[in-house]
Amino acid sequence: MPRADVVVIGAGLSGLACAAELAGSGASVFLAAKGMASTHWTHGGLDVAAPDGASTSRDGIARLAGSAGHPYARMSDHVADAVAAHRARLDGTAVAMVGDLDMPLAPIPTALGALRPAAILPMGQGAAVGPWEGQGLLLLGIGHFRDSWVDYAARNLTAGAWPGGPAEIRAVTADLPGLDARNNLNARTLAVLFDDPAWRARALAAMAAVVPPGAWRIGVPAVLGLEAHAEIHAHAQEVLGGAVFEMPSLPPSVPGVRLFDELRRRITAAGGRIQVGFDVVEVERDGRRVRAIHTEAASRTLRLAADTFVLATGGIAGEGIRAHRGRRLEERVFGLPVTAPNDSEWFSDDPMQPHPIESLGIDVDDHLRPIDPTGQPVLENVRVIGSSLAGMRYLEQRCGDGVAITSAHVVARSLAARSAAA
Amino acid sequence: MPAGAEVDVVVIGGGATGAGVLRDLAMRGLSATLVERGDFASGTSGRYHGLLHSGARYVESDPISARHCIEENAVLRRIAPGTIEPTGGYFVATPDDPDDYLDRFPAACAKAGIETEPVPLDELFRAEPLLSREIRAAYRVPDAALEPWELVDGTLNSAREHGATAHRYRAVIGFERDADGSVAAVMTRDTRTGEEETIACRAVVSAAGAWAGQIAELAGARLTMSPGKGSMLIFNRRFSTAVINRLAPPGDGDILVPVHTVCILGTTDITGEDPDDAVVTEEEISALLADGERLVPGISGARVLRAYAGSRPLYDADEVSGAASHDESREISRAHHVIDHGARDGVGGLWSIVGGKLTTYRLMARDVTDAVAAALGNDAPCRTADEPLPEPAGHSPYWLGDRLAAIEAEGGGDADLVCECELVTRQRLADALDRRADSSLDDLRRTTRLGMGPCQGAFCMPRAAAMLDARRADGRLHPAAPDANVALRSFAAERLRGTRPIAWGDQLTELFLTAGIFRGTLGTDALPEHTGGDDAAS
Amino acid sequence: MTFHDAAARDFPAFSTDACIKCNVCNTVCPVSRVTDEFPGPKYVGPQAQRFRGPGEGSDAPDHSVDLCSGCGICTRACPAGVLIAETNNRARAGIVEERGSSLRNRLISDTDLLIRLGTPVAPLANIGLKNRLARWFGEKTLGVHRRGPLAPFSRRTFRAWWKREKRPTALEAGSDPSRTVVYFHGCAVNGFEPDLGRDAVEILERNGLTVIVPPQECCGLPFISNGLYPRAREKARRNLESLAQYARAGYRIVGTSTSCTHALKAEYREMLDLADDDATAVADATWDICELLVDLHDRGELDTGFAPIAESIPYHPPCQLKSHGIGLPAMDLFALVPGLRAVDSDHDCCGAAGTYGLKAERWQIAQDVGAPLFAKVRAAKAAGASRAACDSETCRWQIEQSSGVPTVHPVSILAESYRRADEAASEPRRRLV
Ligand SMILES: Cc1cc2nc3c(=O)[nH]c(=O)nc-3n(C[C@H](O)[C@H](O)[C@H](O)COP(=O)(O)OP(=O)(O)OC[C@H]3O[C@@H](n4cnc5c(N)ncnc54)[C@H](O)[C@@H]3O)c2cc1C
Ligand SMILES: Cc1cc2nc3c(=O)[nH]c(=O)nc-3n(C[C@H](O)[C@H](O)[C@H](O)COP(=O)(O)OP(=O)(O)OC[C@H]3O[C@@H](n4cnc5c(N)ncnc54)[C@H](O)[C@@H]3O)c2cc1C
């Protein structure tokens, strides 16, 4: 195995973004990951910062940067650059992003009919934001698809307060060709169906037939194709006669799969290598430096040597950090110290509210190197990015994606600068 | 006797015992109604270990219980085969178990009428490959897995067929008593609407299990319960095909029961906790796992889905029988006791039935019904052991693979699965809602297993809530039923309550994924308290 | 959960406990992408497993798991480390154990038998393979699809050639483990593609390695994929018996089929529960040939005198190769050949999945799975590629038959480059024929 300048561990948003940026800058990059993760689970938008009370993402960043220990406290100056870099990567693709840091955070409807704040979204979801100005919201569901609940969502949206919201909220459901006879149906199988031009034409016609007269912005399940999404989205707006936006529901997230695929293509096109499917099982160290990692393989492990190792293994959900019985937390690749909230109780009683435990993670210095409780770097050539970082509660603060791409950018830029200097 | 009694007998408590009493009364021709403060079988009957006892566990410590168990074991197999998975059971001796117990066990079982059969170890390990190879002896016993919700459901349905009525979400809040102190009516309150209703009656049976003391107090009678908390762990999969018991005097993590897709390890036994506040502690979990390791090595590294606790309806033996005092609740007799509060406390017309096992629920019901019927001048014989219960929908007797086999027989696939983990189809939920239009999601769970698998509802909760909402919109939901958002929130809270104590490893990962789906993608932190009217949907 | 934890534990399919139901597997499955008949990896894997009972083969209530092609893509995508495809395979074995297997499956799995029957009458047999009527008949009577990817029998097996050439079948006195390798040729080389075997030996010898070919049989993978574990175990045990002595003595076992080598590395232990010392020694000693050549290169021991091949070649890394977890060694080697541009197919699966694509009832699924790949290969040909490359035989045959573009093993391209170098230097080495 030829040695790489950088080995990135983890194929979530942070690892992919970091590898793409590094590969793009000419570094040799090997990305090794155990599996796919939060791209395939989340809504596919770019949540940069929307803590309670924030008016824009930029305002949100400032608020979060003000709280000690939050990853933005170290990186707030780089968020704008990171967002720009990320957008540049995706421009011209079907997952190109719309919106920016200074756009007012707008409440957008979720598949369940709650509102969540958003500003930067993939093109296919873009029409969810922006002033309603007398337009109506039409939720257009898909019959037989168990993750489309438009009537319920419409009733919830009507029941909740939505200042400046649509003039009217309606739900309709279309039966698409052949779905009633299918044994298996999920967001991905629907997206694959939409990729087929012949089926798509009939499906969009069936959807158009249920659109009532009026000026609508139309929310549809996030299943408008994987390969041909841009084309399908345009086609849908044309046929349905209004701006169309996708509404992500339960995983799998089709918008996230598109994003994953696009970033993966970016990395390999720039000469980077990706291997998904294998855990890191061994680390070779040399004092405070990591010489190589080994990934699990069918028999002997695969040794990956590099100058720098980027840990992008996610938090608990991505399984970069595991909790053992008795509240013992383990960072699974390097055994780094994990910081958890001191609260005696890790969980709240209310499943809809934040759990204190959510802020757990790895503490880092300004170079995003892991540190011990005294503030000393534990490993000099390791950088930690994404949701492995301690100090945020990404669901509550809606900053998970922003922290992921910003930390990825900070690390990629400093490493690229170094390898250019070398 | 008060004139204008609405029913002959009010039964308090909709667990197995209360349901059994209602059925027995009705089959003897007495008019009866049952009130339960929560859902049926949501008390101890829905929080027990899942075992149809052979009685072998109690051959030494409680021979009366043992005999009751084996007799009723045979009866239930006859009258309710659809609620029983005939897994069989083993008693296995680990190196830690006393030799003398092992030596005495077969004879003690024989004396109690429990058939045992020594099992060669190689045969045991072939049948149960995950058991510890340190096990040194094994006996086969007629244990089985018993499905409580279907049993209670079937028992209530049978009672209804005989003219009785049963009401859930109706709590007893007091009694009206005659001048002579005997009960004349039961005061109840609908726990969802707050509506109060008094039911005049000639007699009352308190089958309130661990809460029987509270009921007695409301009536001015005396009954000191000594509820024994028992905690259990649910694992993600079966580790055995049969029930596995330790061949030793009853201890903590000494029984493993395969129940549907999971297996349940239990139980601890802690005396005197409030039955409404049964929290599983870290110490209990450690004790259970340590003991479980002796049966299935590696079990403490396996995925635990939930922890839960039930409250044993044990009474203070001294008070009831004047027997010698015992310091451990496990040594208090598991056998049941009928208390005639008229004779004992001067509160005529009130009987309590306490103690016993779920396995012996029918026998308990018979004994208390005998007493009540005699007092009411009814001399019809008990027929509950002769007449089978109405079949639960779909299977008889059930086996692990039946849901999967049924779906596969229809072509397979997931399109109609609402709960993917437990293979709950849209149709199954719709049927459950047709039968009980006032169900919450948690009520649906009990009869369908909705949300009881590894994801603990992450995927099925919103899907099922949407179903509730659709039914509410077209008027098919009972007005007292919670709306979809209330149901969703309370179900999520209920699921979280069981995962919190064991939130490590895979189950914590699952919890984070669930939080991400709910709050991240679906925005449930901002879900309106109630869903709106149906003007929105066309 | 790592592969080895799972295999080491006494818990069959224990890894399914880790499933968080997240649906990642459902987004990557190539079979559920093209057919509604297959419920997808989550349903047939960790989900169904909870309804199957703890013993292998007990109470198998399901059948749709049989549509799993075993490509393993789900296992690699799973963030929780669930061995999904492996679980499915075991479940299939359970079903076979309970309900038996078709004659067709038993026959197409028994490649040693097919070769024994086919090679002596190769010309005739090959006419049969090409004859539409005979293939139609084979489909109707056996259920082998008339257009299923089958390669023609070679007239002489690789082993027969080896014997005729009096090449070593055992160690010679004074052998050096670092300079001698054991070649595991597999059925494909033995019965259908002996030239590939000769290319491999040529390359190994050119790089200073002595090659020995001890007795060996089919690795057993076709039996494993068809759930016929007892037959697979027979094959595996005999191979282990023959190979373990070399492995223990430090000799490397090299294969040109990523399927066979994966069976030696992983399946013997993970599926067949042959987790004894012999199996571990053989697993640890087994190398895919490209993996070995890259290792030589890393040590500076590879002859890099490759002559240019000015061509852009589509390369499809097969699923089995990806399951090795060794990266893409063929790509590293292609990079050493001047002028050669190998283009990763960037496509999940060709559809063949061993014997899956042969079966009458699966053929269309296999075609649909591979269709985008065939299109890419055809486009590459239109743009000037003379061939495609792929490390696994059944995938090569599938790609070749479905795209019409000749498809070769990467080492055949390397061998050609070496030969050109020799020709250019006008000192041609003896070519093995
Ligand atoms: C369900 C869900 C919903 C969310 N919703 C929101 C939201 O609405 N708003 C918001 O701001 N944020 C949200 N987040 C958070 C946000 O998505 C993440 O913070 C962000 O995507 C960054 O992820 P990541 O790259 O750090 O890690 P992940 O996406 O978790 O990826 C981790 C990667 O590391 C790999 N890995 C782990 N261990 C190893 C190992 N030992 N060896 C090799 N590889 C390994 C994994 O396989 C995976 O590829 C959500 C997260 C989840 C899980
Ligand atoms: C940990 C544990 C494990 C066990 N394992 C087994 C086993 O494996 N096999 C076995 O046979 N037995 C087992 N048992 C015993 C068995 O579970 C109980 O004996 C049996 O369930 C008791 O049923 P019940 O109907 O008497 O009580 P419950 O099921 O508790 O019913 C009493 C009902 O009264 C209701 N109630 C309370 N107050 C009021 C009020 N004011 N108004 C109206 N309703 C009221 C409650 O809500 C409750 O539903 C176990 C018990 C425990 C605690």
Side-chain angles (χ1 to χ4, degrees):
Chain A
M1 180 58 45
R3 54 174 286 120
D5 295 334
V6 185
V7 166
V8 178
I9 310 164
L13 179 60
S14 64
L16 291 166
C18 189
E21 192 159 340
L22 280 164
S25 71
S28 70
V29 185
F30 195 105
L31 185 151
K34 181 179 168 193
M36 289 133 181
S38 52
T39 46
H40 286 53
W41 303 331
T42 59
H43 46 63
L46 196 74
D47 280 357
V48 174
D52 263 355
S55 56
T56 62
S57 306
R58 201 181 293 279
D59 176 31
I61 296 163
R63 287 167 188 250
L64 294 175
S67 75
H70 195 281
Y72 280 154
R74 297 181 191 286
M75 311 187 301
S76 58
D77 294 349
H78 301 283
V79 185
D81 281 354
V83 171
H86 190 61
R87 295 188 55 147
R89 259 192 300 280
L90 302 176
D91 270 348
T93 74
V95 287
M97 297 280 166
V98 298
D100 62 46
L101 294 181
D102 297 311
M103 248 180 58
L105 283 158
I108 67 167
T110 74
L112 204 59
L115 294 173
R116 68 176 174 90
I120 307 182
L121 291 166
M123 169 273 283
Q125 296 178 38
V129 295
W132 284 89
E133 288 168 351
Q135 280 172 307
L137 166 62
L138 182 68
L139 302 180
L140 202 170
I142 295 179
H144 303 283
F145 175 37
R146 63 184 169 190
D147 296 334
S148 157
W149 320 299
V150 286
D151 293 325
Y152 182 27
R155 279 189 281 271
N156 276 334
L157 289 169
T158 314
W162 189 346
E168 185 186 355
I169 299 170
R170 282 269 279 278
V172 290
T173 296
D175 283 325
L176 307 190
L179 297 194
D180 55 343
R182 280 188 71 101
N183 289 327
N184 297 289
L185 201 59
N186 59 36
R188 187 257 195 158
T189 51
L190 271 168
V192 169
L193 283 172
F194 268 100
D195 276 338
D196 170 12
W199 188 85
R200 174 200 315 160
R202 289 188 292 141
L204 289 177
M207 289 162 81
V210 298
V211 174
W216 303 107
R217 270 150 65 184
I218 305 170
V220 300
V223 297
L224 297 182
L226 280 163
E227 305 294 331
H229 171 61
E231 195 186 319
I232 299 166
H233 183 243
H235 194 174
Q237 312 215 76
E238 190 187 303
V239 175
L240 303 184
V244 169
F245 61 94
E246 291 191 311
M247 299 174 68
S249 183
L250 298 177
S253 162
V254 168
V257 173
R258 287 180 208 130
L259 180 65
F260 180 94
D261 285 345
E262 189 54 46
L263 289 171
R264 184 182 53 85
R265 277 194 288 265
R266 281 284 132 143
I267 295 165
T268 45
R273 283 278 185 88
I274 298 189
Q275 173 163 300
V276 179
F278 300 90
D279 231 338
V280 174
V281 289
E282 201 185 316
V283 174
E284 284 178 36
R285 294 174 186 232
D286 203 352
R288 286 172 182 273
R289 293 189 66 80
V290 172
R291 248 190 334 237
I293 58 163
H294 292 246
T295 55
E296 126 195 89
S299 63
R300 297 165 308 279
T301 58
L302 178 68
R303 182 176 190 273
L304 298 169
D307 298 327
T308 310
F309 296 83
V310 178
L311 186 74
T313 52
I316 296 282
E319 302 209 344
I321 297 173
R322 290 282 279 184
H324 301 281
R325 194 150 59 88
R327 293 182 164 216
R328 195 164 57 76
L329 292 166
E330 179 198 7
E331 186 281 298
R332 289 182 57 253
V333 173
F334 299 111
L336 300 174
V338 180
T339 303
N342 294 325
D343 301 55
S344 61
E345 193 45 77
W346 274 4
F347 302 96
S348 77
D349 289 333
D350 182 348
M352 307 312 178
Q353 293 309 315
H355 301 297
I357 177 74
E358 287 170 17
S359 69
L360 95 178
I362 314 293
D363 275 329
V364 291
D365 66 10
D366 285 344
H367 305 285
L368 304 188
R369 291 179 304 186
I371 53 171
D372 63 19
T374 68
Q376 287 308 301
V378 186
L379 291 168
E380 278 156 9
N381 62 337
V382 168
R383 302 283 195 279
V384 181
I385 62 173
S387 49
S388 308
L389 292 168
M392 64 172 157
R393 287 194 298 269
Y394 55 70
L395 296 175
E396 179 191 358
Q397 298 161 339
R398 294 205 173 266
C399 61
D401 307 302
V403 167
I405 60 162
T406 306
S407 54
H409 173 71
V410 166
V411 166
R413 228 187 35 165
S414 88
L415 295 180
R418 244 189 15 190
S419 63
Chain B
M1 277 327 119
E6 284 174 32
V7 287
D8 291 328
V9 188
V10 170
V11 180
I12 303 170
T17 313
V21 174
L22 188 73
R23 174 174 188 245
D24 204 341
L25 289 165
M27 285 172 75
R28 298 190 203 206
L30 290 164
S31 71
T33 195
L34 179 148
V35 287
E36 160 59 50
R37 65 170 187 173
D39 188 14
F40 302 124
S42 64
T44 308
S45 300
R47 312 184 66 79
Y48 87 130
H49 202 158
L51 170 59
L52 179 68
H53 276 289
S54 59
R57 179 169 161 86
Y58 304 114
V59 280
E60 285 230 333
S61 60
D62 193 349
I64 306 170
S65 253
R67 200 155 328 107
H68 288 169
C69 282
I70 188 64
E71 283 164 17
E72 287 302 302
N73 181 306
V75 171
L76 291 192
R77 285 174 198 261
R78 223 170 42 234
I79 67 167
T83 66
I84 293 168
E85 185 185 352
T87 58
Y90 297 104
F91 273 75
V92 297
T94 75
D96 302 314
D97 299 329
D99 284 337
D100 53 336
Y101 195 85
L102 171 60
D103 297 340
R104 295 193 308 267
F105 181 74
C109 285
K111 198 165 150 225
I114 301 164
E115 264 179 60
T116 60
E117 185 195 353
V119 183
L121 288 180
D122 56 339
E123 193 184 307
L124 176 76
F125 296 138
R126 247 197 325 276
E128 305 290 0
L130 305 183
L131 286 188
S132 164
R133 292 304 187 268
E134 295 197 343
I135 286 168
R136 55 205 177 96
Y139 286 91
R140 199 190 316 277
V141 298
D143 283 343
L146 175 63
E147 156 63 72
W149 296 291
E150 303 248 20
L151 180 73
V152 170
D153 200 30
T155 305
L156 290 174
N157 284 340
S158 167
R160 290 189 187 104
E161 283 174 7
H162 289 93
T165 54
H167 308 276
R168 57 179 180 172
Y169 294 107
R170 181 90 57 90
V172 171
I173 52 169
F175 291 88
E176 282 176 12
R177 292 168 63 189
D178 283 344
D180 67 353
S182 57
V183 295
V186 179
M187 288 144 64
T188 67
R189 179 185 292 142
D190 188 309
T191 56
R192 295 190 291 206
T193 62
E195 212 172 285
E196 294 188 0
E197 193 178 16
T198 300
I199 312 167
C201 59
R202 298 165 66 201
V204 173
V205 175
S206 163
W211 296 267
Q214 297 174 11
I215 298 295
E217 201 182 321
L218 285 177
R222 182 173 53 104
L223 173 59
T224 312
M225 294 299 288
S226 170
K229 178 179 71 164
S231 296
M232 288 147 284
L233 297 176
I234 306 181
F235 291 86
N236 181 38
R237 60 188 9 252
R238 290 187 175 197
F239 295 132
S240 61
T241 58
V243 176
I244 310 293
N245 304 264
R246 279 273 287 282
L247 221 174
D252 272 356
D254 60 352
I255 310 185
L256 190 61
V257 186
V259 176
H260 293 280
T261 45
V262 302
C263 66
I264 304 179
L265 176 70
T267 71
T268 57
D269 200 342
I270 292 168
T271 313
E273 299 225 353
D274 177 355
D276 284 316
D277 191 26
V279 213
V280 184
T281 65
E282 256 177 74
E283 295 73 45
E284 286 180 284
I285 292 169
S286 299
L288 286 172
L289 291 174
D291 273 343
E293 279 291 324
R294 280 181 256 265
L295 293 176
V296 178
I299 199 168
S300 47
R303 179 168 180 180
V304 185
L305 297 184
R306 281 180 87 71
Y308 69 106
S311 238
R312 296 189 173 82
L314 303 185
Y315 47 89
D316 186 325
D318 299 342
E319 178 191 289
V320 171
S321 60
S325 76
H326 298 277
D327 48 6
E328 271 295 328
S329 79
R330 201 174 270 121
E331 284 162 27
I332 297 173
S333 175
R334 254 71 170 156
H336 57 273
H337 207 93
V338 176
I339 299 157
D340 176 348
H341 292 286
R344 212 185 61 170
D345 309 318
V347 182
L350 175 66
W351 283 263
S352 289
I353 169 78
V354 291
K357 313 289 305 167
L358 206 131
T359 306
T360 62
Y361 91 101
R362 191 209 61 86
L363 185 67
M364 295 163 68
R366 185 201 71 184
D367 288 353
V368 74
T369 308
D370 280 352
V372 175
L376 297 181
N378 174 304
D379 59 1
C382 172
R383 291 187 294 116
T384 51
D386 310 323
E387 202 175 295
L389 300 183
E391 287 279 299
H395 50 234
S396 174
Y398 74 85
W399 62 293
L400 172 61
D402 62 5
R403 284 193 180 181
L404 182 56
I407 289 168
E408 291 275 293
E410 307 233 302
D414 67 7
D416 291 323
L417 295 181
V418 174
C419 166
E420 298 169 67
C421 303
E422 293 295 330
L423 304 179
V424 183
T425 58
R426 183 168 295 278
Q427 190 58 50
R428 189 183 286 269
L429 279 183
D431 291 346
L433 281 167
D434 286 346
R435 263 183 284 129
R436 299 223 188 107
D438 64 340
S439 294
S440 69
L441 291 180
D442 201 35
D443 298 344
L444 286 174
R445 167 184 73 81
R446 284 186 202 93
T447 46
T448 64
R449 298 189 59 76
L450 179 81
M452 288 172 91
C455 84
Q456 292 287 299
F459 287 79
C460 64
M461 265 191 262
R463 293 171 184 159
M467 273 183 82
L468 286 188
D469 185 59
R471 286 189 170 234
R472 198 180 61 95
D474 53 24
R476 283 191 292 160
L477 211 59
H478 192 278
D483 75 54
N485 290 2
V486 173
L488 178 75
R489 248 194 306 268
S490 68
F491 192 44
E494 193 277 334
R495 293 287 89 192
L496 177 63
R497 199 159 64 91
T499 30
R500 267 173 57 160
I502 49 80
W504 67 75
D506 298 319
Q507 212 55 8
L508 185 64
T509 307
E510 189 79 69
L511 205 149
F512 268 65
L513 177 68
T514 308
I517 295 172
F518 272 45
R519 284 154 53 212
T521 303
L522 300 179
T524 51
D525 46 347
L527 193 67
E529 197 176 331
H530 297 283
T531 65
D534 47 334
D535 45 324
S538 67
Chain C
M1 173 81 31
T2 72
F3 280 54
H4 300 292
D5 288 344
R9 279 230 181 88
D10 224 7
F11 288 67
F14 192 85
S15 76
T16 54
D17 257 10
C19 175
I20 51 169
K21 316 290 292 192
C22 76
N23 278 322
V24 159
C25 55
N26 279 342
T27 69
V28 297
C29 174
V31 176
S32 65
R33 171 161 57 76
V34 302
T35 175
D36 182 46
E37 279 172 68
F38 183 53
K42 181 169 89 167
Y43 169 104
V44 304
Q47 205 157 284
Q49 186 63 22
R50 297 177 70 243
F51 293 83
R52 286 192 189 119
E56 217 177 84
S58 62
D59 292 345
D62 53 330
H63 51 78
S64 58
V65 66
D66 197 39
L67 270 114
C68 166
S69 76
C71 67
I73 295 173
C74 49
T75 297
R76 293 194 302 277
C78 176
V82 180
L83 307 180
I84 309 171
E86 292 75 358
T87 301
N88 296 349
N89 199 295
R90 278 175 176 269
R92 180 186 290 125
I95 294 173
V96 167
E97 196 182 309
E98 257 185 29
R99 307 184 203 147
S101 173
S102 67
L103 172 65
R104 191 264 321 271
N105 287 4
R106 277 174 288 151
L107 197 68
I108 58 177
S109 300
D110 202 343
T111 42
D112 282 338
L113 176 74
L114 292 176
I115 292 168
R116 214 155 47 238
L117 296 176
T119 38
V121 292
L124 206 69
N126 292 341
I127 292 173
L129 288 180
K130 291 211 181 85
N131 183 292
R132 303 227 327 243
L133 189 66
R135 290 296 301 261
W136 177 86
F137 191 69
E139 178 170 322
K140 293 297 162 211
T141 54
L142 274 176
V144 175
H145 195 277
R146 70 192 89 169
R147 287 157 71 195
L150 285 170
F153 288 104
S154 163
R155 280 159 184 263
R156 191 172 55 207
T157 64
F158 177 78
R159 299 191 67 80
W161 171 78
W162 194 262
K163 206 161 131 196
R164 196 200 63 187
E165 297 287 306
K166 296 200 175 44
R167 291 180 142 262
T169 55
L171 294 175
E172 278 156 29
S175 293
D176 172 1
S178 68
R179 306 265 37 118
T180 306
V181 293
V182 172
Y183 179 43
F184 192 86
H185 49 66
C187 304
V189 159
N190 194 35
F192 307 99
E193 302 182 318
D195 286 349
L196 166 58
R198 287 188 278 269
D199 286 344
V201 172
E202 234 178 71
I203 292 181
L204 292 167
E205 289 180 346
R206 179 187 195 104
N207 284 288
L209 297 168
T210 303
V211 180
I212 66 166
V213 180
Q216 52 186 275
E217 299 190 8
C218 166
C219 67
L221 186 60
F223 284 123
I224 297 177
S225 324
N226 284 285
L228 295 154
Y229 281 15
R231 294 298 312 278
R233 281 194 191 102
E234 289 166 25
K235 296 279 173 197
R237 286 217 181 83
R238 284 199 287 271
N239 282 324
L240 291 177
E241 217 164 90
S242 166
L243 299 174
Q245 50 185 316
Y246 302 102
R248 287 176 192 283
Y251 292 91
R252 286 177 291 190
I253 300 161
V254 186
T256 35
S257 161
T258 43
S259 316
C260 309
T261 46
H262 191 258
L264 296 180
K265 282 181 174 183
E267 268 107 350
Y268 283 8
R269 295 182 293 178
E270 278 165 20
M271 311 283 216
L272 303 181
D273 295 329
L274 301 173
D276 55 15
D277 294 349
D278 278 359
T280 305
V282 167
D284 289 347
T286 299
W287 293 70
D288 163 65
I289 186 158
C290 293
E291 180 189 15
L292 183 88
L293 295 176
V294 167
D295 186 64
L296 290 180
H297 183 57
D298 286 352
R299 294 166 198 275
E301 293 169 8
L302 186 78
D303 174 355
T304 51
F306 289 106
I309 295 183
E311 195 177 337
S312 175
I313 292 177
Y315 167 64
H316 178 64
C319 304
Q320 287 284 358
L321 168 75
K322 291 183 183 154
S323 292
H324 278 247
I326 54 175
L328 301 177
M331 290 294 273
D332 295 333
L333 296 169
F334 287 145
L336 301 175
V337 179
L340 183 64
R341 209 174 84 84
V343 181
D344 187 333
S345 70
D346 194 24
H347 180 74
D348 46 16
C349 175
C350 74
T355 56
Y356 189 90
L358 277 180
K359 300 175 182 176
E361 71 284 12
R362 307 277 190 261
W363 181 82
Q364 190 59 52
I365 295 175
Q367 287 299 308
D368 293 346
V369 166
L373 171 63
F374 311 146
K376 283 182 185 178
V377 169
R378 264 185 242 114
K381 181 169 185 229
S386 66
R387 63 203 140 168
C390 177
D391 314 63
S392 174
E393 56 276 358
T394 50
C395 309
R396 280 198 293 281
W397 303 340
Q398 167 92 342
I399 297 169
E400 181 159 321
Q401 294 195 15
S402 303
S403 69
V405 179
T407 305
V408 300
H409 192 286
V411 298
S412 297
I413 294 172
L414 300 181
E416 180 188 318
S417 166
Y418 275 145
R419 274 179 221 128
R420 286 193 192 176
D422 293 344
E423 278 155 23
S426 66
E427 45 178 273
R429 295 181 192 214
R430 192 172 76 95
R431 171 149 189 212
L432 299 178
V433 285

